[in-house]
């Protein structure tokens, strides 16, 4: 009795979504800019050219926004970065545009890896970005590890995510709700210190440092 059905005519859903998509700023200088749109000129602005597609990550969700805001405030020059659960590749692309020497983007969805490769080329950072299925990826050597997934995978993947980072490296987790913070932090506590929790619209980012 709670289910209702109705026919919905076919249409260009991506274009319909684009009608509501507009440039968005994260932090001071990091922008997501859709096709055919522009932002105010500022030599310090960093533009990520991105349209909505099949893979998660356009900046509209608070978890993605939290990670982009963290990236905006970081100097990533010559860093190696891992984006675990990369979706559209938005975080890895942002890291590359912020100066990261190399970015490993990992996802178990082939469409996500394809979207990441396309978006990396579109933003002229394809040479800095490598795409991996989890079974092909060796987790080691990153100064920054980003994982915007969900609480359950963040907990189960904790040993893998920790191994991605060098000692003293930063691990940034998002995709969890406020009531899930303690369980997620507990999964990393023996390997990480100085957990900082930042909330946005009920969602949370946790960033910490690997021992």
């Amino acid at each position: 009795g709670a289910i209702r059905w109705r026919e919905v005519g076919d249409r260009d859903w991506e274009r319909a979504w684009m009608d509501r998509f507009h440039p968005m700023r994260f932090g001071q200088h990091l922008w997501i800019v859709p096709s055919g749109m522009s932002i105010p000129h500022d030599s310090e602005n960093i533009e990520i050219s991105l349209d909505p597609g099949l893979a998660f990550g356009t900046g509209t969700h608070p978890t993605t926004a939290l990670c982009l805001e963290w990236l905006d405030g970081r100097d990533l020059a010559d860093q190696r970065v891992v984006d675990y659960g990369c979706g559209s590749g938005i975080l890895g692309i942002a890291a590359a545009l912020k100066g990261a020497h190399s970015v490993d983007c990992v996802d178990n969805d082939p469409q996500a890896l394809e979207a990441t490769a396309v978006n990396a080329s579109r933003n002229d950072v394809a040479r800095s970005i490598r795409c991996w299925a989890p079974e092909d990826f060796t987790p080691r050597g990153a100064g920054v590890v980003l994982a915007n997934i969900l609480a359950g995978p963040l907990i189960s993947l904790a040993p893998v995510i920790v191994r991605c980072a060098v000692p003293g490296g930063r691990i940034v987790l998002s995709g969890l709700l406020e009531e899930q913070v303690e369980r997620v932090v507990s999964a990393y506590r023996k390997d990480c210190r100085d957990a900082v929790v930042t909330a946005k619209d009920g969602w949370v980012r946790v960033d910490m440092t690997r021992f």
Side-chain angles (χ1 to χ4, degrees):
I3 298 176
R4 300 288 183 270
W5 301 88
R6 68 185 178 93
E7 292 279 341
V8 178
D10 195 20
R11 59 189 296 195
D12 185 345
W13 293 107
E14 187 171 313
R15 179 50 50 187
W17 206 97
M18 276 289 295
D19 290 342
R20 295 188 168 192
F21 201 36
H22 55 84
M24 294 173 288
R25 185 177 69 177
F26 303 91
Q28 295 299 311
H29 300 293
L30 192 57
W31 288 79
I32 304 296
V33 184
S35 295
M37 299 186 187
S38 61
I39 61 173
H41 175 71
D42 185 327
S43 59
E44 293 189 65
N45 283 342
I46 296 174
E47 298 184 33
I48 304 172
S49 177
L50 190 76
D51 290 334
L54 293 176
F56 176 82
T58 57
T60 57
H61 196 278
T63 60
T64 310
L66 283 163
C67 292
L68 289 169
E69 289 167 2
W70 187 90
L71 285 168
D72 176 72
R74 298 298 179 280
D75 178 6
L76 299 180
D78 299 324
Q79 290 271 19
R80 181 183 175 194
V81 175
V82 171
D83 179 5
Y84 208 102
C86 60
S88 68
I90 186 172
L91 302 182
I93 291 166
L97 291 171
K98 288 279 294 180
H101 175 263
S102 65
V103 183
D104 292 305
C105 292
V106 185
D107 207 293
N108 60 9
D109 182 354
Q111 284 188 326
L113 298 178
E114 181 180 352
T116 295
V118 169
N119 288 329
S121 294
R122 180 177 176 178
N123 286 276
D124 298 322
V125 292
R127 286 181 297 178
S128 302
I129 290 180
R130 294 171 292 184
C131 298
W132 305 91
E135 61 270 20
D136 298 324
F137 175 64
T138 302
R140 64 169 182 262
V144 174
V145 182
L146 305 158
N148 179 23
I149 320 176
L150 290 169
L154 287 174
I155 292 169
S156 63
L157 289 168
V160 176
I161 291 172
V162 167
R163 284 202 307 274
C164 290
V166 297
R170 302 299 296 274
I171 295 176
V172 181
L173 310 176
S174 194
L176 57 152
L177 299 168
E178 291 178 337
E179 59 267 26
Q180 298 169 327
V181 170
E182 182 53 37
R183 287 196 298 122
V184 172
V185 170
S186 293
Y188 291 80
R189 188 164 283 135
K190 69 182 179 64
D191 298 301
C192 299
R193 58 180 170 83
D194 302 331
V196 177
V197 177
T198 306
K200 187 182 188 74
D201 299 335
W203 296 89
V204 169
R205 181 192 74 222
V206 179
D207 54 277
M208 58 191 81
T209 302
R210 183 182 173 183
F211 284 125

